Each structure stands twice: as structure tokens, then as C-alpha cells.
Amino acid sequence: MSLIRVLLSILFPPLAVFDKGCGSIIIVLLLTLCGWVPGVIAALIILNRGN
């Protein structure tokens, strides 16, 4: 997980998981719309998985 990805996940979480698949983008987008913090947490978890 690079520093740029971490900063991007804090600023705009759905863009940080862009290459992880459509499902990840939708989940992070919905969580971001519900609240910024859940979106950031979900993006960091998805990025930390390493796939």
C-alpha cells in the first residue's frame, strides 16, 4: 500500500479502490455516501488486503 493510495483513500475513497473491481467501488461509494469515515475505513481495508 503506497502513500499515494492512502492519501487518495482519505480524500476520495472510491477512487482509491478503482482497480480492485466494480463491487469494491460500489461498496466504498455507498459507505462514503452514508458517511465519510466508513468509506475511508472500507477503502483502507480493501487496499490492505493486497489482492
Side-chain angles (χ1 to χ4, degrees):
M1 190 164 50
S2 67
L3 180 62
I4 293 173
R5 286 281 179 121
V6 172
L7 291 176
L8 193 58
S9 69
I10 292 171
L11 297 175
F12 191 65
L15 191 59
V17 296
F18 183 73
D19 63 341
K20 300 295 182 182
C22 183
S24 297
I25 295 171
I26 292 172
I27 290 171
V28 172
L29 180 64
L30 289 175
L31 286 171
T32 303
L33 290 176
C34 291
W36 176 72
V37 173
V40 170
I41 292 170
L44 289 173
I45 288 172
I46 290 171
L47 289 175
N48 199 24
R49 279 194 300 174
N51 286 344

